C-alpha cells in the first residue's frame, strides 16, 4: 500500500507518518528530511536546496522528483511507502503517478490533515528535535517525559529548525496555498482523498487513521 500525507507546515504529517511506520511497517519518505540530510552532508543537492529551504521556499521540482525516483527503487520500499511532504506541486504529483505506474504500483490513498493557520504557527514555534535521533517534540503538546532528555534515544541535545520562525512559516504557508493546495482537488477528482481533522489531539488523529486503515484492509 502507498499513501501520501498532505497538509500545511506543522499539520502533523511527520508525526502521523511515524505512527504509520511503527504500526504498519511503512517506509517513510520525507522529502524535507532527505533535503535536510543533503544540506548537512554538503552534497550538490544540499548546496542548491539550502538557501531556498532557509527562506521557506520550495525546492525546484526536478531536484525533489530526482530524490524520490532514486529512493523508491530501494528494495525496502516494496513493503509500502508513506510519502510525507511529497508531492507538493501538481508537477510532482504527475511525476509520482508515472514513477509508481512504471513499477506496476499505485497510490492507494491521500490523507489530508486540516489545521487552522494560527494553530500551525503556534505548533511550529514550539517544535524541537533531538539532535541525535531526530525525534520530534513540542513544548506544549509533546514535551519530553524527562526534561532535557529524548524519550527515544536518551540524547540531551535538541535543536530548532532554521525555517521554524514565524516569518518563514508565513512564507511556507503561502507556498502551501499557492502550489500545494491544488493537489487537494487533483486527488479528490481521482477519488483518492480522505480528509482528517488535524486540530484533534495527536493520538486521536492516529486513531482516525487506524480506522481508515482497517476499512481499507477490509
Ligand atoms: P518539510 O520538512 O516537509 O516541512 P513542512 O511540510 O513545512 O512540514 P513540517 O515538517 O514543518 O510539519 P509536519 O506537518 O511534518 O508536522 P509535525 O508532525 O512535525 O519541508 C521543509 C522544507 O523542505 C520546505 O519548506 C521546502 O523548502 C523543502 N521541501 C520539502 N519537500 C519538498 C517538496 N516535495 N518540494 C519542494 N520543496 C520541498 O508537527 C509539527 C509540530 O506539531 C510538532 O512539534 C508536533 O509534535 C506537533 N503536533 C503534531 N500533531 C499535533 C496535533 N495533532 N496536535 C498538537 N500538536 C501536534
Amino acid at each position: 500500500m502507498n499513501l501520501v500525507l498532505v497538509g500545511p507546515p506543522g499539520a502533523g504529517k511527520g508525526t502521523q507518518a511515524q505512527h504509520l511506520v511503527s504500526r504498519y511497517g511503512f517506509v517513510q519518505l520525507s522529502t524535507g528530511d532527505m533535503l535536510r540530510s543533503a544540506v548537512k552532508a554538503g552534497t550538490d543537492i544540499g548546496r542548491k536546496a539550502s538557501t531556498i529551504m532557509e527562506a521557506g521556499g520550495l525546492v525546484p521540482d526536478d531536484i525533489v522528483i530526482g530524490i524520490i525516483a532514486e529512493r523508491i527503487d530501494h528494495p525496502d520500499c516494496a513493503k509500502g511507502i508513506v510519502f510525507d511532504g511529497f508531492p507538493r506541486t501538481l508537477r510532482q504529483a504527475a511525476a509520482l503517478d508515472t514513477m509508481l505506474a512504471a513499477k506496476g504500483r499505485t497510490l492507494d490513498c491521500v490523507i489530508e490533515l486540516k489545521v487552522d493557520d494560527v494553530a500551525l504557527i503556534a505548533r511550529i514555534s514550539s517544535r524541537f528535535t533531538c539532535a541525535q535521533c531526530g525525534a520530534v517534540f513540542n513544548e506544549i503538546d509533546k514535551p519530553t517525559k524527562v526534561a532535557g532528555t529524548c524519550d527515544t534515544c536518551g540524547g540531551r541535545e535538541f535543536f530548532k529548525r532554521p525555517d521554524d520562525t514565524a516569518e518563514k512559516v508565513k512564507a511556507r504557508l503561502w507556498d502551501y496555498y499557492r502550489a500545494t493546495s491544488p493537489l487537494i482537488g487533483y486527488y479528490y477528482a481521482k477519488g483518492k482523498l480522505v480528509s482528517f481533522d488535524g486540530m484533534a489531539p495527536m493520538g486521536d488523529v492516529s486513531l482516525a487513521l487506524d480506522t481508515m486503515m482497517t476499512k481499507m484492509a477490509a
Side-chain angles (χ1 to χ4, degrees):
M1 194 181 285
N2 301 299
L3 310 176
V4 163
L5 280 162
V6 68
K13 301 182 296 295
T15 301
Q16 297 307 329
Q18 278 298 306
H19 170 70
L20 293 166
V21 167
S22 61
R23 178 94 194 237
Y24 304 99
F26 285 100
V27 169
Q28 176 188 6
L29 297 192
S30 157
T31 39
D33 286 348
M34 290 160 149
L35 289 165
R36 278 185 288 279
S37 296
V39 170
K40 200 171 171 190
T43 64
D44 275 355
I45 286 177
R47 277 191 290 278
K48 283 179 194 151
S50 166
T51 323
I52 301 168
M53 290 174 76
E54 284 226 10
L58 285 183
V59 174
D61 285 340
D62 289 339
I63 292 181
V64 182
I65 291 166
I67 293 176
I68 290 289
E70 191 276 324
R71 182 63 181 87
I72 62 173
D73 273 337
H74 292 207
D76 62 336
C77 289
K79 61 187 172 188
I81 304 169
V82 54
F83 293 95
D84 162 11
F86 179 89
R88 243 176 167 98
T89 63
L90 288 169
R91 190 163 158 236
Q92 291 178 22
L96 179 60
D97 291 343
T98 306
M99 282 186 259
L100 290 173
K103 293 177 192 316
R105 298 172 70 172
T106 51
L107 191 55
D108 296 280
C109 182
V110 174
I111 297 163
E112 179 195 14
L113 298 176
K114 297 170 99 158
V115 180
D116 297 347
D117 290 358
V118 174
L120 295 171
I121 294 172
R123 279 186 194 181
I124 286 184
S125 321
S126 52
R127 170 168 55 190
F128 60 101
T129 305
C130 172
Q132 196 164 294
C133 73
V136 175
F137 298 94
N138 191 282
E139 284 152 19
I140 301 159
D141 291 290
K142 194 184 171 191
T144 54
K145 288 181 186 131
V146 177
T149 304
C150 174
D151 297 355
T152 308
C153 73
R156 297 186 59 80
E157 274 187 45
F158 297 88
F159 68 90
K160 284 193 171 261
R161 279 172 38 181
D163 58 346
D164 274 359
T165 63
E167 187 193 327
K168 287 167 189 173
V169 173
K170 282 182 194 153
R172 288 158 63 194
L173 269 173
W174 166 247
D175 270 329
Y176 176 77
Y177 290 117
R178 179 186 62 80
T180 308
S181 65
L183 294 181
I184 304 302
Y186 176 82
Y187 286 122
Y188 177 80
K190 285 175 175 276
K192 307 250 182 213
L193 189 76
V194 188
S195 299
F196 290 88
D197 175 15
M199 293 291 288
M202 286 173 229
D204 291 1
V205 180
S206 300
L207 281 175
L209 293 186
D210 291 343
T211 304
M212 178 202 78
M213 291 295 290
T214 306
K215 281 189 192 150
M216 285 177 75

PDB file of all heavy atoms in Angstrom, residues 7-9 52-53 55-59 88-89 168-183:
ATOM      1  N   GLY A   7      -0.651  18.360   3.752  1.00  0.00           N
ATOM      2  CA  GLY A   7      -1.173  19.351   4.699  1.00  0.00           C
ATOM      3  C   GLY A   7      -0.146  20.448   4.840  1.00  0.00           C
ATOM      4  O   GLY A   7       1.017  20.277   4.469  1.00  0.00           O
ATOM      5  N   PRO A   8      -0.556  21.583   5.401  1.00  0.00           N
ATOM      6  CA  PRO A   8       0.358  22.709   5.541  1.00  0.00           C
ATOM      7  C   PRO A   8       1.496  22.414   6.520  1.00  0.00           C
ATOM      8  O   PRO A   8       1.454  21.398   7.238  1.00  0.00           O
ATOM      9  CB  PRO A   8      -0.564  23.823   6.063  1.00  0.00           C
ATOM     10  CG  PRO A   8      -1.728  23.122   6.649  1.00  0.00           C
ATOM     11  CD  PRO A   8      -1.903  21.849   5.904  1.00  0.00           C
ATOM     12  N   PRO A   9       2.509  23.278   6.570  1.00  0.00           N
ATOM     13  CA  PRO A   9       3.607  23.083   7.513  1.00  0.00           C
ATOM     14  C   PRO A   9       3.074  22.996   8.943  1.00  0.00           C
ATOM     15  O   PRO A   9       2.256  23.827   9.351  1.00  0.00           O
ATOM     16  CB  PRO A   9       4.482  24.337   7.333  1.00  0.00           C
ATOM     17  CG  PRO A   9       3.699  25.286   6.508  1.00  0.00           C
ATOM     18  CD  PRO A   9       2.689  24.485   5.756  1.00  0.00           C
ATOM     19  N   ILE A  52      17.184  28.059  -0.310  1.00  0.00           N
ATOM     20  CA  ILE A  52      15.735  28.063  -0.579  1.00  0.00           C
ATOM     21  C   ILE A  52      14.982  27.608   0.670  1.00  0.00           C
ATOM     22  O   ILE A  52      13.993  28.209   1.079  1.00  0.00           O
ATOM     23  CB  ILE A  52      15.404  27.111  -1.757  1.00  0.00           C
ATOM     24  CG1 ILE A  52      16.156  27.532  -3.011  1.00  0.00           C
ATOM     25  CG2 ILE A  52      13.904  27.028  -1.992  1.00  0.00           C
ATOM     26  CD1 ILE A  52      16.125  26.505  -4.138  1.00  0.00           C
ATOM     27  N   MET A  53      15.470  26.515   1.292  1.00  0.00           N
ATOM     28  CA  MET A  53      14.784  25.980   2.476  1.00  0.00           C
ATOM     29  C   MET A  53      14.831  26.972   3.628  1.00  0.00           C
ATOM     30  O   MET A  53      13.846  27.168   4.332  1.00  0.00           O
ATOM     31  CB  MET A  53      15.408  24.657   2.882  1.00  0.00           C
ATOM     32  CG  MET A  53      15.121  23.544   1.896  1.00  0.00           C
ATOM     33  SD  MET A  53      15.992  22.053   2.280  1.00  0.00           S
ATOM     34  CE  MET A  53      15.039  21.421   3.649  1.00  0.00           C
ATOM     35  N   ALA A  55      14.862  30.066   3.485  1.00  0.00           N
ATOM     36  CA  ALA A  55      13.937  31.182   3.229  1.00  0.00           C
ATOM     37  C   ALA A  55      12.482  30.728   3.279  1.00  0.00           C
ATOM     38  O   ALA A  55      11.568  31.541   3.191  1.00  0.00           O
ATOM     39  CB  ALA A  55      14.249  31.798   1.869  1.00  0.00           C
ATOM     40  N   GLY A  56      12.267  29.417   3.392  1.00  0.00           N
ATOM     41  CA  GLY A  56      10.896  28.907   3.452  1.00  0.00           C
ATOM     42  C   GLY A  56      10.276  28.710   2.077  1.00  0.00           C
ATOM     43  O   GLY A  56       9.055  28.591   1.958  1.00  0.00           O
ATOM     44  N   GLY A  57      11.105  28.668   1.029  1.00  0.00           N
ATOM     45  CA  GLY A  57      10.580  28.472  -0.334  1.00  0.00           C
ATOM     46  C   GLY A  57      10.536  26.997  -0.709  1.00  0.00           C
ATOM     47  O   GLY A  57      10.911  26.125   0.090  1.00  0.00           O
ATOM     48  N   LEU A  58      10.087  26.721  -1.934  1.00  0.00           N
ATOM     49  CA  LEU A  58      10.028  25.337  -2.411  1.00  0.00           C
ATOM     50  C   LEU A  58      11.252  25.032  -3.271  1.00  0.00           C
ATOM     51  O   LEU A  58      11.614  25.815  -4.149  1.00  0.00           O
ATOM     52  CB  LEU A  58       8.768  25.106  -3.256  1.00  0.00           C
ATOM     53  CG  LEU A  58       7.437  24.992  -2.515  1.00  0.00           C
ATOM     54  CD1 LEU A  58       6.311  24.691  -3.500  1.00  0.00           C
ATOM     55  CD2 LEU A  58       7.486  23.920  -1.436  1.00  0.00           C
ATOM     56  N   VAL A  59      11.854  23.896  -3.035  1.00  0.00           N
ATOM     57  CA  VAL A  59      12.990  23.429  -3.822  1.00  0.00           C
ATOM     58  C   VAL A  59      12.459  23.045  -5.212  1.00  0.00           C
ATOM     59  O   VAL A  59      11.333  22.536  -5.316  1.00  0.00           O
ATOM     60  CB  VAL A  59      13.645  22.226  -3.084  1.00  0.00           C
ATOM     61  CG1 VAL A  59      14.752  21.590  -3.911  1.00  0.00           C
ATOM     62  CG2 VAL A  59      14.171  22.682  -1.722  1.00  0.00           C
ATOM     63  N   ARG A  88       4.277  18.045  -3.697  1.00  0.00           N
ATOM     64  CA  ARG A  88       3.937  19.368  -3.187  1.00  0.00           C
ATOM     65  C   ARG A  88       3.507  20.310  -4.298  1.00  0.00           C
ATOM     66  O   ARG A  88       3.175  21.464  -4.025  1.00  0.00           O
ATOM     67  CB  ARG A  88       5.172  19.961  -2.518  1.00  0.00           C
ATOM     68  CG  ARG A  88       5.028  20.234  -1.052  1.00  0.00           C
ATOM     69  CD  ARG A  88       6.381  20.718  -0.596  1.00  0.00           C
ATOM     70  NE  ARG A  88       6.375  21.288   0.689  1.00  0.00           N
ATOM     71  CZ  ARG A  88       6.734  20.636   1.799  1.00  0.00           C
ATOM     72  NH1 ARG A  88       7.059  19.381   1.761  1.00  0.00           N
ATOM     73  NH2 ARG A  88       6.772  21.266   2.939  1.00  0.00           N
ATOM     74  N   THR A  89       3.558  19.838  -5.527  1.00  0.00           N
ATOM     75  CA  THR A  89       3.077  20.611  -6.681  1.00  0.00           C
ATOM     76  C   THR A  89       2.367  19.622  -7.613  1.00  0.00           C
ATOM     77  O   THR A  89       2.581  18.410  -7.511  1.00  0.00           O
ATOM     78  CB  THR A  89       4.247  21.244  -7.474  1.00  0.00           C
ATOM     79  OG1 THR A  89       5.055  20.201  -7.999  1.00  0.00           O
ATOM     80  CG2 THR A  89       5.095  22.178  -6.627  1.00  0.00           C
ATOM     81  N   LYS A 168       9.216  32.867   8.521  1.00  0.00           N
ATOM     82  CA  LYS A 168       9.418  31.841   7.493  1.00  0.00           C
ATOM     83  C   LYS A 168       8.212  30.894   7.389  1.00  0.00           C
ATOM     84  O   LYS A 168       7.915  30.381   6.325  1.00  0.00           O
ATOM     85  CB  LYS A 168      10.710  31.076   7.753  1.00  0.00           C
ATOM     86  CG  LYS A 168      11.913  31.945   7.406  1.00  0.00           C
ATOM     87  CD  LYS A 168      13.200  31.403   7.903  1.00  0.00           C
ATOM     88  CE  LYS A 168      14.297  32.455   7.704  1.00  0.00           C
ATOM     89  NZ  LYS A 168      15.548  32.026   8.340  1.00  0.00           N
ATOM     90  N   VAL A 169       7.540  30.696   8.506  1.00  0.00           N
ATOM     91  CA  VAL A 169       6.324  29.875   8.451  1.00  0.00           C
ATOM     92  C   VAL A 169       5.295  30.552   7.545  1.00  0.00           C
ATOM     93  O   VAL A 169       4.604  29.889   6.771  1.00  0.00           O
ATOM     94  CB  VAL A 169       5.740  29.633   9.851  1.00  0.00           C
ATOM     95  CG1 VAL A 169       4.397  28.927   9.749  1.00  0.00           C
ATOM     96  CG2 VAL A 169       6.688  28.801  10.687  1.00  0.00           C
ATOM     97  N   LYS A 170       5.241  31.887   7.592  1.00  0.00           N
ATOM     98  CA  LYS A 170       4.283  32.590   6.722  1.00  0.00           C
ATOM     99  C   LYS A 170       4.637  32.344   5.254  1.00  0.00           C
ATOM    100  O   LYS A 170       3.757  32.113   4.425  1.00  0.00           O
ATOM    101  CB  LYS A 170       4.276  34.090   7.040  1.00  0.00           C
ATOM    102  CG  LYS A 170       3.482  34.380   8.290  1.00  0.00           C
ATOM    103  CD  LYS A 170       3.417  35.867   8.597  1.00  0.00           C
ATOM    104  CE  LYS A 170       2.926  36.065  10.020  1.00  0.00           C
ATOM    105  NZ  LYS A 170       3.378  37.301  10.643  1.00  0.00           N
ATOM    106  N   ALA A 171       5.936  32.369   4.924  1.00  0.00           N
ATOM    107  CA  ALA A 171       6.363  32.091   3.533  1.00  0.00           C
ATOM    108  C   ALA A 171       6.011  30.656   3.155  1.00  0.00           C
ATOM    109  O   ALA A 171       5.543  30.390   2.040  1.00  0.00           O
ATOM    110  CB  ALA A 171       7.867  32.323   3.400  1.00  0.00           C
ATOM    111  N   ARG A 172       6.206  29.722   4.087  1.00  0.00           N
ATOM    112  CA  ARG A 172       5.896  28.310   3.799  1.00  0.00           C
ATOM    113  C   ARG A 172       4.385  28.114   3.604  1.00  0.00           C
ATOM    114  O   ARG A 172       3.944  27.342   2.747  1.00  0.00           O
ATOM    115  CB  ARG A 172       6.426  27.417   4.928  1.00  0.00           C
ATOM    116  CG  ARG A 172       7.951  27.306   4.903  1.00  0.00           C
ATOM    117  CD  ARG A 172       8.541  26.919   6.231  1.00  0.00           C
ATOM    118  NE  ARG A 172       8.127  25.612   6.692  1.00  0.00           N
ATOM    119  CZ  ARG A 172       8.290  25.173   7.940  1.00  0.00           C
ATOM    120  NH1 ARG A 172       8.838  25.964   8.861  1.00  0.00           N
ATOM    121  NH2 ARG A 172       7.910  23.974   8.272  1.00  0.00           N
ATOM    122  N   LEU A 173       3.605  28.829   4.437  1.00  0.00           N
ATOM    123  CA  LEU A 173       2.146  28.732   4.293  1.00  0.00           C
ATOM    124  C   LEU A 173       1.695  29.288   2.941  1.00  0.00           C
ATOM    125  O   LEU A 173       0.815  28.720   2.289  1.00  0.00           O
ATOM    126  CB  LEU A 173       1.451  29.526   5.401  1.00  0.00           C
ATOM    127  CG  LEU A 173       1.128  28.758   6.673  1.00  0.00           C
ATOM    128  CD1 LEU A 173       0.612  29.714   7.740  1.00  0.00           C
ATOM    129  CD2 LEU A 173       0.087  27.676   6.392  1.00  0.00           C
ATOM    130  N   TRP A 174       2.316  30.392   2.515  1.00  0.00           N
ATOM    131  CA  TRP A 174       1.984  30.990   1.231  1.00  0.00           C
ATOM    132  C   TRP A 174       2.235  29.960   0.119  1.00  0.00           C
ATOM    133  O   TRP A 174       1.400  29.754  -0.757  1.00  0.00           O
ATOM    134  CB  TRP A 174       2.821  32.259   1.040  1.00  0.00           C
ATOM    135  CG  TRP A 174       2.819  32.771  -0.372  1.00  0.00           C
ATOM    136  CD1 TRP A 174       3.883  32.808  -1.227  1.00  0.00           C
ATOM    137  CD2 TRP A 174       1.709  33.302  -1.109  1.00  0.00           C
ATOM    138  NE1 TRP A 174       3.499  33.312  -2.442  1.00  0.00           N
ATOM    139  CE2 TRP A 174       2.177  33.627  -2.399  1.00  0.00           C
ATOM    140  CE3 TRP A 174       0.367  33.517  -0.806  1.00  0.00           C
ATOM    141  CZ2 TRP A 174       1.351  34.148  -3.388  1.00  0.00           C
ATOM    142  CZ3 TRP A 174      -0.460  34.041  -1.794  1.00  0.00           C
ATOM    143  CH2 TRP A 174       0.037  34.362  -3.058  1.00  0.00           C
ATOM    144  N   ASP A 175       3.393  29.295   0.185  1.00  0.00           N
ATOM    145  CA  ASP A 175       3.703  28.278  -0.826  1.00  0.00           C
ATOM    146  C   ASP A 175       2.709  27.122  -0.762  1.00  0.00           C
ATOM    147  O   ASP A 175       2.360  26.531  -1.782  1.00  0.00           O
ATOM    148  CB  ASP A 175       5.123  27.725  -0.628  1.00  0.00           C
ATOM    149  CG  ASP A 175       6.129  28.542  -1.408  1.00  0.00           C
ATOM    150  OD1 ASP A 175       5.766  29.080  -2.469  1.00  0.00           O
ATOM    151  OD2 ASP A 175       7.275  28.658  -0.950  1.00  0.00           O
ATOM    152  N   TYR A 176       2.275  26.781   0.451  1.00  0.00           N
ATOM    153  CA  TYR A 176       1.299  25.693   0.572  1.00  0.00           C
ATOM    154  C   TYR A 176       0.011  26.066  -0.174  1.00  0.00           C
ATOM    155  O   TYR A 176      -0.487  25.305  -0.995  1.00  0.00           O
ATOM    156  CB  TYR A 176       0.994  25.380   2.047  1.00  0.00           C
ATOM    157  CG  TYR A 176      -0.085  24.325   2.133  1.00  0.00           C
ATOM    158  CD1 TYR A 176       0.221  22.985   1.897  1.00  0.00           C
ATOM    159  CD2 TYR A 176      -1.415  24.665   2.368  1.00  0.00           C
ATOM    160  CE1 TYR A 176      -0.768  22.003   1.902  1.00  0.00           C
ATOM    161  CE2 TYR A 176      -2.405  23.698   2.379  1.00  0.00           C
ATOM    162  CZ  TYR A 176      -2.081  22.375   2.144  1.00  0.00           C
ATOM    163  OH  TYR A 176      -3.059  21.408   2.128  1.00  0.00           O
ATOM    164  N   TYR A 177      -0.523  27.266   0.101  1.00  0.00           N
ATOM    165  CA  TYR A 177      -1.795  27.636  -0.531  1.00  0.00           C
ATOM    166  C   TYR A 177      -1.627  27.843  -2.038  1.00  0.00           C
ATOM    167  O   TYR A 177      -2.493  27.477  -2.827  1.00  0.00           O
ATOM    168  CB  TYR A 177      -2.387  28.880   0.144  1.00  0.00           C
ATOM    169  CG  TYR A 177      -2.864  28.548   1.545  1.00  0.00           C
ATOM    170  CD1 TYR A 177      -2.301  29.145   2.666  1.00  0.00           C
ATOM    171  CD2 TYR A 177      -3.847  27.580   1.743  1.00  0.00           C
ATOM    172  CE1 TYR A 177      -2.709  28.794   3.947  1.00  0.00           C
ATOM    173  CE2 TYR A 177      -4.264  27.228   3.021  1.00  0.00           C
ATOM    174  CZ  TYR A 177      -3.695  27.843   4.120  1.00  0.00           C
ATOM    175  OH  TYR A 177      -4.102  27.490   5.378  1.00  0.00           O
ATOM    176  N   ARG A 178      -0.466  28.399  -2.437  1.00  0.00           N
ATOM    177  CA  ARG A 178      -0.238  28.692  -3.860  1.00  0.00           C
ATOM    178  C   ARG A 178       0.021  27.409  -4.670  1.00  0.00           C
ATOM    179  O   ARG A 178      -0.622  27.178  -5.683  1.00  0.00           O
ATOM    180  CB  ARG A 178       0.986  29.624  -3.959  1.00  0.00           C
ATOM    181  CG  ARG A 178       1.397  30.019  -5.355  1.00  0.00           C
ATOM    182  CD  ARG A 178       2.710  30.810  -5.354  1.00  0.00           C
ATOM    183  NE  ARG A 178       3.834  30.043  -4.827  1.00  0.00           N
ATOM    184  CZ  ARG A 178       4.535  29.141  -5.503  1.00  0.00           C
ATOM    185  NH1 ARG A 178       4.230  28.873  -6.748  1.00  0.00           N
ATOM    186  NH2 ARG A 178       5.543  28.499  -4.927  1.00  0.00           N
ATOM    187  N   ALA A 179       0.935  26.577  -4.181  1.00  0.00           N
ATOM    188  CA  ALA A 179       1.434  25.477  -5.024  1.00  0.00           C
ATOM    189  C   ALA A 179       0.915  24.097  -4.621  1.00  0.00           C
ATOM    190  O   ALA A 179       0.781  23.219  -5.465  1.00  0.00           O
ATOM    191  CB  ALA A 179       2.965  25.473  -4.994  1.00  0.00           C
ATOM    192  N   THR A 180       0.669  23.895  -3.325  1.00  0.00           N
ATOM    193  CA  THR A 180       0.343  22.536  -2.860  1.00  0.00           C
ATOM    194  C   THR A 180      -1.162  22.307  -2.741  1.00  0.00           C
ATOM    195  O   THR A 180      -1.642  21.206  -3.057  1.00  0.00           O
ATOM    196  CB  THR A 180       1.029  22.257  -1.496  1.00  0.00           C
ATOM    197  OG1 THR A 180       2.417  22.564  -1.621  1.00  0.00           O
ATOM    198  CG2 THR A 180       0.868  20.807  -1.082  1.00  0.00           C
ATOM    199  N   SER A 181      -1.921  23.334  -2.314  1.00  0.00           N
ATOM    200  CA  SER A 181      -3.354  23.090  -2.080  1.00  0.00           C
ATOM    201  C   SER A 181      -4.104  22.637  -3.349  1.00  0.00           C
ATOM    202  O   SER A 181      -5.096  21.900  -3.227  1.00  0.00           O
ATOM    203  CB  SER A 181      -4.027  24.304  -1.427  1.00  0.00           C
ATOM    204  OG  SER A 181      -4.004  25.397  -2.304  1.00  0.00           O
ATOM    205  N   PRO A 182      -3.650  22.992  -4.581  1.00  0.00           N
ATOM    206  CA  PRO A 182      -4.354  22.428  -5.757  1.00  0.00           C
ATOM    207  C   PRO A 182      -4.331  20.896  -5.799  1.00  0.00           C
ATOM    208  O   PRO A 182      -5.163  20.278  -6.484  1.00  0.00           O
ATOM    209  CB  PRO A 182      -3.583  23.026  -6.947  1.00  0.00           C
ATOM    210  CG  PRO A 182      -3.009  24.318  -6.422  1.00  0.00           C
ATOM    211  CD  PRO A 182      -2.666  24.022  -4.981  1.00  0.00           C
ATOM    212  N   LEU A 183      -3.421  20.279  -5.041  1.00  0.00           N
ATOM    213  CA  LEU A 183      -3.388  18.805  -5.009  1.00  0.00           C
ATOM    214  C   LEU A 183      -4.655  18.227  -4.382  1.00  0.00           C
ATOM    215  O   LEU A 183      -5.036  17.087  -4.660  1.00  0.00           O
ATOM    216  CB  LEU A 183      -2.193  18.300  -4.186  1.00  0.00           C
ATOM    217  CG  LEU A 183      -0.791  18.584  -4.717  1.00  0.00           C
ATOM    218  CD1 LEU A 183       0.243  17.981  -3.790  1.00  0.00           C
ATOM    219  CD2 LEU A 183      -0.633  18.036  -6.107  1.00  0.00           C
TER     220      LEU A 183
END
